[in-house]
Amino acid sequence: MKRKIAFKFLIISWLMCQSLAYSQSLDTSFAKNHQITNNSGKYKDSIIKQEWSPNSIPDSLLFDGIQKYTFPNTHLTLIPPKTYRADNRGNIIHDWTGSSIQCTIVNSGYSSLLKTIHKETFEKQGFKYINQETLSTRLNKEGTIFLIGFTLNGIEYERITFFIGNNTETAWLSINYPVMMKSLLFETIENCLTTIEF
């Protein structure tokens, strides 16, 4: 039992590092492929860098707030918020605000995994624990949100770490957004999470 808990903790630690690495780099491959640059020649990937232009992303790449999206290599489907788009890694990103949504499937039951996650789990990883809440999807399936905070390059971010699953596997969604955009994004992201089918 202790080995299982230790293994799960290692998985959580690794996934948190992956999410942090993604939020640090954001995705510039789209910009590279479409020659989206500013006058200094740097790639535009976020309004946070004040380099975004409303004409830089073709409308055809943006979600409309109606269509469903299934994360690659998973059977988790949701309706992404309007004006988000999928990147070439299968994540969902919002170029205008620097927000991102990632999904990973963990081979562990939902209830048993949640028993291994506490406030200290996040604090040991260097995150600020904010709160925890239960969220129900439109299909009345229960999920759990852990809200945590971190600072990156002098900018304050929050991360919604959302778990939903069954007795054998759990979907872990990691949603990052800058705190300065929270009033615009938080309710929209929560509404997105309620559309999950898993």
Side-chain angles (χ1 to χ4, degrees), residues 4 24-25 33 41 45 50 58 67 88 95 147:
K4 277 188 174 181
Q24 288 175 338
S25 65
N33 292 338
D45 60 3
Q50 298 179 359
Q67 69 189 98
N88 62 2
D95 299 90
L147 185 61

Side-chain angles (χ1 to χ4, degrees), residues 33-97:
N33 292 338
H34 293 79
Q35 290 80 43
I36 301 169
T37 59
N38 62 13
N39 293 338
S40 65
K42 294 182 179 177
Y43 296 108
K44 299 178 182 184
D45 60 3
S46 170
I47 196 171
I48 301 307
K49 296 180 181 178
Q50 298 179 359
E51 299 172 351
W52 174 79
S53 162
N55 301 319
S56 63
I57 307 297
D59 288 345
S60 60
L61 294 180
L62 304 177
F63 289 110
D64 59 9
I66 299 169
Q67 69 189 98
K68 291 183 178 181
Y69 176 76
T70 302
F71 284 94
N73 305 313
T74 78
H75 50 277
L76 185 138
T77 300
L78 53 68
I79 300 174
K82 194 172 182 179
T83 70
Y84 278 65
R85 68 175 174 89
D87 69 7
N88 62 2
R89 301 176 202 169
N91 302 307
I92 300 171
I93 61 174
H94 194 242
D95 299 90
W96 312 344
T97 59

Side-chain angles (χ1 to χ4, degrees), residues 127-151:
F127 294 96
K128 174 187 172 187
Y129 175 87
I130 299 171
N131 67 13
Q132 173 184 346
E133 64 180 87
T134 301
L135 180 98
S136 292
T137 68
R138 294 177 186 174
L139 298 177
N140 292 319
K141 190 168 180 66
E142 178 188 298
T144 301
I145 289 176
F146 292 93
L147 185 61
I148 57 178
F150 62 98
T151 302

Side-chain angles (χ1 to χ4, degrees), residues 163-182:
F163 296 96
I164 191 167
N166 51 40
N167 292 330
T168 58
E169 60 181 2
T170 303
W172 175 350
L173 283 88
S174 182
I175 302 106
N176 298 303
Y177 57 85
V179 173
M180 69 177 86
M181 298 292 177
K182 183 173 182 173

